[in-house]
Amino acid sequence: MRREHARRAVIVAIVVIAAVALMPSPAAAAESTESVYREPDQVLIDIVDAPRTPTVSLSPDRERLLLMTRQNYPSIEDLARPELGLAGQRINPANHAPSWTWSYVRLAFVRVSDADERVVAGLPEDVRVGNVKWSPDGSRIAFTNTTADGVELWTADVERAQAMRVLGPNVSLTAQASPTWMPDSERLVVCLVAEPGRAPVLDVPGAPSGPTIQENLGEESPARTYQYLLENEHDEELFEHYLTTQLAIVTLGGEVVRVGEPAIVWNFDPSPDGRFILVHALHRPFSYLVTARRFPTAIQVWDLDGNVVHEVADLPLRDQIPIARNSVADGPRRVEWRPDAPATLYWAEALDGGDARVETEERDRVFLLEAPFEGEPVAFATLPLRYSRVLWGHEELALVREWWWQSRTVRFWKVRPGSPGADPELLIDYSYEDRYNDPGTPVTIRNAYGRSVLMTADDANTIFMIGEGASPEGDRPFLDAFDTYNNETTRMFRSEAPYYEMPIAPLNKEARELVTARESVEEVSNYFVLDLADGAARQLTLFPHPTPQLVGYTKELIQYERSDGVQLSGTLYLPPGYEPDQGPLPMVMWAYPREFKSASAAGQIGDSPHRFDRVGWWSPLLWLTQGYAVLDGPTMPIVGEGDEPPNDTHIEQLVASAAAAVDEVVRLGVADRHRIAIGGHSYGAFTTANLLAHSDLFAAGLARTGAYNRTLTPFGFQAEDRSLWEAPEVYFAMSPFMHADKVNEPILLVHGLADDNAGTFPMQSERFYNAIKGHGAVARLVMLPHERHSYRARESLLHLLWETSRWLDTYVRNAEPPDDAAGSGAGK
């Protein structure tokens, strides 16, 4: 697939293929297939070009906010630069960095005490900031600046709001590692380009030395459908060259001390006391079937001279992990430093061989090993479900999280690190799909090492929990105090209408003051400090409304029922100025189904009527500006209670959910039954195609970057963990490609030619289009050069909206009622 992409990458204009049925005349045909980028209505252009609301980060000492403004959309020329796709990594060979990541172009600090804002000075005019990290003491931030020739390391002093370059451009970002602070806040650990003077030949040699050979000696090695894998020895050489780096420690003055020899350092982490570095280093033999994160990995502890003082494990190639959910690799995994100790490792190991299909009472065990890493690891906790993580507090309190996908179970066990023999106490036990009873997430705070640990009150037993607060009236975020000794909860804050207000962090151990992000339907999210004693609020940021073109629309959370009794919901939007006496409107529905094990959980409300909607190219709310009503996120749950797999009745439940949504908006008088489009992205595109194939509910479809033939993802997809050979009838029934002859409504297919998402390779849309075309249906295929699973170039985005606007106006706004207009269209 990567070779096919490389061939297509020479295309410099958009490829647009249309079905003949779409073109009423030769002149129109010439216009609609011209290979140029088009632009939509100016109001849509203005929304795409709207300034970004900054991303916000709270300092470790909770005295400053860092405001980070993201760059606008890049040009297609930016995306067309050369890249290498190697074992799942997409690399720009010119600068040893990812070929594309979103960057920040403006930084500012806001003082929490008085909201004083200072813009960071000293940044280059064309700065591309990434990998931002606070120093442990909160006095500085470190970040990278990616240039055309390489990556630089920079820092900024918080008090002076002044940036300075530390070194570069010789920092490498080709793996998962990025510059990381040492605990003294005066040095950083970085990966440097190992051989900056040598560049390998990028083209495949014309005369290979022999065939490319793969062999399996009887081991089960199922794998998901990955993109950009290694394909031959030349790829292996390129991978080794670009991912081999030199680990180094760098002072703020730019002094470099190399640590050890060059290696394929996948990730690293200095110990909390700064004496050691935990290194994950990849090595041969590589694989042509899985991505780099599953390559053989040596997990080692190095001293600051690069000597290996301990090897936790040398993991083999991990290409035999079963596809069943909750299956993991055998051997040590999630190897980390304990954040509340100077230099203690902890990790988990599977007791079931990593196979979730094995019936056992003990699933995982967590181990500890303290420096100097001598003797046997100490068993810290044995778990009946799959290990997730540990939240460390102090010697008398840590929380071990486990989970199990098949039952949707999440549990937190209270353990006492200072008493290894003490029995763990089950503290929290719930289903993660039961949002109404979700207790929230424990609040953490940075300790003296700069590491995240549980935030506890003065009694050392009470922790704080922040949650979405799902309820029948919508999400109402909360802050709770949870006494882990008495197992008692006290509510300290809950969001109140007309706002959606999310707690960010308490400012002190007793949580008397709370930083929140507050928004409403017409007010973008801004940051406040709340005094929980008297409710007084002090505003910290003043972000403006980014899309004033949409001020005045109406928003309503609607609820309705599926034919089998499952409760459904969706968010209904009507254009600014709409009055009921105007009658029903054309409508866009935007959907994405989810699987559930419980019908009651499937019927829970999953949104808030008070949230501010961030609208961009991806949002169906764009079409409010064009006079369409929008039903966003109509729930389409696929329920399989007990041992019943949800997907065994996927199509029936999908169509029933869509029919209920259509009936409800028609009953409300806001939508014309015969002028409704269904659309979605990725699994939503797959849903769109299935609804057109198996119902006559919709006038047209908008399908972006989907997978339509499930036989091309034979080892599972989405929440389906059975293989094609275990459930062939399910794969066939759920594949729109297999039912292309039933698609008789116009469908617009859009796909990025460089899509690297597992399973949604571009061929999915191409072959589905060909199948539809072969049966004489109305279809249009738009392949966007250089675009991935989500689109980025401004030219691509504007052209996408031009295509969509044209499609909606032609086949939805101006649609004629079908001959059987009296029918419901719930099935074919």
Side-chain angles (χ1 to χ4, degrees):
M1 293 304 300
R2 184 162 55 82
R3 295 291 177 243
E4 186 176 1
H5 165 59
R7 175 179 58 81
R8 291 170 173 162
V10 301
I11 303 172
V12 295
I14 193 163
V15 177
V16 180
I17 310 171
V20 173
L22 181 64
M23 307 172 190
S25 70
E31 178 182 354
S32 64
T33 59
E34 184 181 356
S35 292
V36 295
Y37 288 106
R38 303 297 189 99
E39 293 188 352
D41 185 83
Q42 186 61 47
V43 68
L44 300 179
I45 296 175
D46 291 343
I47 291 175
V48 169
D49 291 338
R52 304 302 184 89
T53 299
T55 300
V56 179
S57 173
L58 184 63
S59 64
D61 56 14
R62 308 202 170 182
E63 294 182 0
R64 296 288 202 292
L65 298 180
L66 171 62
L67 312 185
M68 300 173 283
T69 304
R70 204 174 81 173
Q71 68 185 106
N72 288 328
Y73 293 108
S75 69
I76 193 65
E77 288 81 9
D78 291 330
L79 300 193
R81 292 170 181 154
E83 71 168 8
L84 294 172
L86 301 169
Q89 302 296 104
R90 298 179 68 170
I91 298 167
N92 182 340
N95 61 13
H96 290 255
S99 55
W100 176 258
T101 56
W102 289 108
S103 301
Y104 300 109
V105 295
R106 182 183 184 272
L107 303 174
F109 295 112
V110 174
R111 196 160 50 214
V112 172
S113 62
D114 60 5
D116 176 65
E117 179 177 338
R118 299 186 66 186
V119 177
V120 174
L123 296 174
E125 184 176 348
D126 57 350
V127 70
R128 291 292 180 265
V129 171
N131 304 293
V132 181
K133 295 180 182 177
W134 287 97
S135 64
D137 65 5
S139 65
R140 297 181 178 89
I141 59 170
F143 55 92
T144 56
N145 175 38
T146 301
T147 72
D149 301 322
V151 179
E152 302 170 340
L153 175 64
W154 285 66
T155 63
D157 181 272
V158 173
E159 190 63 37
R160 297 186 300 114
Q162 180 66 43
M164 72 172 187
R165 187 174 70 87
V166 176
L167 93 160
N170 61 334
V171 175
S172 176
L173 298 176
T174 53
Q176 298 298 298
S178 61
T180 300
W181 286 99
M182 292 287 279
D184 60 10
S185 297
E186 297 292 335
R187 298 171 296 163
L188 294 111
V189 184
V190 301
C191 282
L192 303 178
V193 176
E195 299 180 74
R198 182 177 72 88
V201 177
L202 300 183
D203 295 331
V204 177
S209 59
T212 298
I213 298 172
Q214 301 180 60
E215 183 178 28
N216 187 57
L217 299 177
E219 299 287 346
E220 289 188 11
S221 303
R224 299 279 182 174
T225 309
Y226 299 111
Q227 297 278 65
Y228 296 93
L229 299 175
L230 301 182
E231 295 183 3
N232 50 49
E233 289 184 4
H234 182 68
D235 282 356
E236 294 188 50
E237 293 171 0
L238 290 173
F239 177 83
E240 204 160 37
H241 173 84
Y242 281 101
L243 274 84
T244 296
T245 57
Q246 174 64 61
L247 201 62
I249 297 175
V250 182
T251 68
L252 296 180
E255 180 183 348
V256 177
V257 177
R258 297 178 182 274
V259 180
E261 297 297 320
I264 305 177
V265 177
W266 185 247
N267 212 338
F268 64 81
D269 186 23
S271 61
D273 65 3
R275 292 189 297 146
F276 306 102
I277 302 176
L278 177 63
V279 176
H280 290 64
L282 309 184
H283 61 79
R284 291 176 180 267
F286 303 142
S287 171
Y288 295 176
L289 292 178
V290 294
T291 58
R293 66 182 62 252
R294 291 195 179 187
F295 285 2
T297 307
I299 305 175
Q300 301 172 333
V301 177
W302 295 6
D303 64 19
L304 300 191
D305 293 322
N307 300 309
V308 177
V309 298
H310 178 71
E311 183 167 89
V312 179
D314 190 353
L315 301 176
L317 178 67
R318 297 177 295 286
D319 63 348
Q320 297 174 17
I321 301 174
I323 63 172
R325 293 298 180 98
N326 280 123
S327 291
V328 296
D330 203 8
R333 69 180 196 279
R334 302 285 304 265
V335 183
E336 301 175 69
W337 293 112
R338 180 173 161 179
D340 61 337
T344 297
L345 295 171
Y346 72 99
W347 66 87
E349 294 189 31
L351 302 178
D352 57 4
D355 190 344
R357 299 169 296 183
V358 173
E359 296 291 335
T360 180
E361 293 183 0
E362 296 182 343
R363 189 71 61 179
D364 270 355
R365 184 165 292 145
V366 183
F367 293 93
L368 293 172
L369 185 61
E370 185 178 355
F373 317 109
E374 297 172 350
E376 294 298 314
V378 176
F380 174 65
T382 300
L383 305 174
L385 304 181
R386 190 64 78 204
Y387 167 78
S388 172
R389 58 178 171 148
V390 179
L391 291 164
W392 300 90
H394 47 76
E395 286 301 303
E396 292 301 312
L397 177 63
L399 302 181
V400 181
R401 185 183 188 272
E402 64 174 358
W403 72 297
W404 196 245
W405 180 83
Q406 287 78 355
S407 62
R408 310 315 197 248
T409 300
V410 174
R411 294 175 183 162
F412 282 91
W413 295 88
K414 177 183 176 181
V415 293
R416 294 172 174 81
S419 305
D423 292 333
E425 176 187 345
L426 182 58
L427 203 62
I428 298 171
D429 186 355
Y430 69 102
S431 167
Y432 68 75
E433 69 178 19
D434 180 8
R435 298 184 71 248
Y436 289 178
N437 291 298
D438 188 332
T441 301
V443 176
T444 61
I445 194 169
R446 298 285 188 95
N447 63 8
Y449 295 123
R451 304 287 177 132
S452 293
V453 296
L454 288 170
M455 181 178 179
T456 57
D458 287 337
D459 64 6
N461 289 313
T462 299
I463 64 174
F464 301 94
M465 309 285 284
I466 290 176
E468 287 280 358
S471 73
E473 59 201 45
D475 290 351
R476 295 182 61 189
F478 64 83
L479 171 72
D480 283 349
F482 180 31
D483 182 342
T484 63
Y485 183 80
N486 295 305
N487 203 10
E488 295 177 349
T489 298
T490 302
R491 179 131 300 171
M492 305 186 70
F493 167 82
R494 191 183 190 195
S495 180
E496 298 287 347
Y499 297 110
Y500 174 91
E501 191 161 11
M502 173 58 72
I504 303 301
L507 286 182
N508 45 59
K509 294 191 71 174
E510 297 302 325
R512 292 185 296 271
E513 289 187 307
L514 178 66
V515 177
T516 68
R518 176 190 292 179
E519 61 190 72
S520 68
V521 172
E522 293 195 354
E523 296 176 80
V524 70
S525 181
N526 271 289
Y527 283 72
F528 290 77
V529 174
L530 295 186
D531 186 319
L532 296 184
D534 60 14
R538 179 164 50 83
Q539 190 163 355
L540 298 177
T541 62
L542 294 167
F543 303 140
H545 196 305
T547 50
Q549 304 89 338
L550 287 161
V551 170
Y553 68 76
T554 61
K555 177 180 182 178
E556 179 184 1
L557 190 61
I558 63 172
Q559 301 179 56
Y560 47 99
E561 187 175 288
R562 200 163 74 180
S563 58
D564 59 1
V566 174
Q567 299 300 304
L568 305 176
S569 62
T571 306
L572 175 65
Y573 298 86
L574 298 173
Y578 174 79
E579 297 292 340
D581 58 9
Q582 293 178 230
L585 299 172
M587 171 174 276
V588 175
M589 283 190 188
W590 203 256
Y592 196 99
R594 282 189 57 203
E595 295 79 7
F596 290 85
K597 294 301 294 179
S598 162
S600 60
Q604 293 181 355
I605 301 298
D607 198 358
S608 167
H610 307 302
R611 295 210 69 167
F612 180 84
D613 294 293
R614 290 162 177 79
V615 180
W617 67 267
W618 64 87
S619 173
L621 273 61
L622 285 169
W623 308 111
L624 294 171
T625 68
Q626 307 299 301
Y628 291 84
V630 173
L631 185 62
D632 191 22
T635 54
M636 297 187 177
I638 311 300
V639 182
E641 296 193 296
D643 294 330
E644 179 186 352
N647 283 336
D648 282 3
T649 54
H650 181 100
I651 297 301
E652 295 88 340
Q653 295 191 63
L654 187 69
V655 172
S657 296
V662 169
D663 288 346
E664 180 64 12
V665 295
V666 171
R667 185 191 69 81
L668 292 172
V670 296
D672 181 339
R673 180 181 298 276
H674 308 295
R675 295 192 297 158
I676 301 177
I678 182 67
H681 181 92
S682 193
Y683 208 56
F686 164 79
T687 295
T688 296
N690 263 326
L691 286 172
L692 296 190
H694 297 286
S695 79
D696 288 314
L697 292 164
F698 300 101
L702 307 168
R704 299 175 183 171
T705 311
Y708 309 104
N709 183 351
R710 287 303 170 190
T711 69
L712 297 177
T713 56
F715 287 107
F717 58 90
Q718 205 70 7
E720 180 57 65
D721 61 358
R722 295 170 294 181
S723 74
L724 168 64
W725 299 273
E726 293 172 299
E729 67 287 347
V730 172
Y731 278 67
F732 185 92
M734 290 180 64
S735 295
F737 179 84
M738 304 301 180
H739 307 279
D741 59 322
K742 300 176 185 176
V743 177
N744 56 8
E745 296 88 5
I747 184 169
L748 174 64
L749 298 164
V750 182
H751 213 121
L753 272 169
D755 188 354
D756 55 359
N757 184 58
T760 56
F761 31 77
M763 179 177 64
Q764 288 274 9
S765 286
E766 293 170 335
R767 291 191 175 179
F768 187 47
Y769 167 76
N770 288 337
I772 297 171
K773 179 182 177 183
H775 287 90
V778 176
R780 185 173 175 90
L781 175 65
V782 180
M783 304 299 290
L784 299 173
H786 307 295
E787 295 295 354
R788 302 188 185 183
H789 194 59
S790 182
Y791 319 137
R792 298 156 295 164
R794 183 176 183 273
E795 294 89 339
S796 299
L797 304 181
L798 296 183
H799 188 94
L800 169 72
L801 299 184
W802 177 82
E803 293 278 1
T804 306
S805 180
R806 181 172 175 270
W807 201 258
L808 288 173
D809 286 350
T810 302
Y811 296 111
V812 180
R813 188 194 302 275
N814 299 313
E816 296 291 335
D819 295 337
D820 59 344
S824 68
K828 287 191 173 179

